[in-house]
Amino acid sequence: MSDLDRRSFLGTATAASLASGLYAASSAAQDEKKRLPVRMAIMGVNGRGKQLIKGFAEFDHVEFAYLCEPDENVIPSAVKMITSAGRPEPKVVKDFRVALEDPNVDVLVIAAPDHWHALATVMACQAGKDVYCEK
């Protein structure tokens, strides 16, 4: 038989209830944090890059901060995709390192040719950014 008396039981139950409430409040704060805008820089907007723009544009909390593309011929159609989705026009740069220097950028999306994947991923991680890269 346990030595747990009524006063101890109520104290334990109150502490457990309080912990449960704090956990629920913490979970709500985490959910709110997840809804904050995610600011993306997309590296490579031809082919797969445009497919990714279309997919990410379906999420309300995604902001397109930069398009990083050296080929000026493919930029207008990528910008049009973003603005047609009701999003503000992103900054356009040829060198993705410019986006990595911006403290407001959260994620580098790498849709450039394969030989850029490793270097861009390492540089983005060194800059403290999250990375989305396929393959």
Side-chain angles (χ1 to χ4, degrees):
M1 195 101 162
S2 171
D3 290 331
L4 186 65
D5 62 3
R6 189 169 130 187
R7 182 171 290 162
S8 298
F9 172 77
L10 289 174
T12 303
T14 302
S17 176
L18 180 61
S20 167
L22 289 174
Y23 176 78
S26 172
S27 293
Q30 289 295 335
D31 288 345
E32 182 61 31
K33 187 175 181 180
K34 289 177 187 175
R35 284 190 274 273
L36 293 175
V38 176
R39 294 172 191 90
M40 294 185 167
I42 300 184
M43 178 184 174
V45 296
N46 195 11
R48 183 65 179 143
K50 287 181 183 171
Q51 293 171 345
L52 292 172
I53 288 171
K54 184 178 177 184
F56 286 125
E58 293 180 13
F59 297 98
D60 293 335
H61 62 283
V62 169
E63 290 181 14
F64 299 97
Y66 287 86
L67 295 182
C68 310
E69 175 61 57
D71 184 356
E72 294 175 1
N73 296 321
V74 298
I75 292 170
S77 59
V79 170
K80 185 176 180 182
M81 288 178 69
I82 292 170
T83 56
S84 294
R87 307 301 177 88
E89 188 171 322
K91 296 177 185 172
V92 177
V93 295
K94 290 185 177 189
D95 188 343
F96 73 98
R97 294 175 292 184
V98 173
L100 296 181
E101 292 172 359
D102 187 336
N104 295 316
V105 172
D106 301 311
V107 180
L108 177 65
V109 176
I110 302 170
D114 293 349
H115 60 273
W116 278 102
H117 289 185
L119 181 61
T121 298
V122 169
M123 291 175 76
C125 290
Q126 288 174 335
K129 310 300 182 193
D130 292 325
V131 176
Y132 177 86
C133 183
E134 297 175 351
K135 295 183 186 175

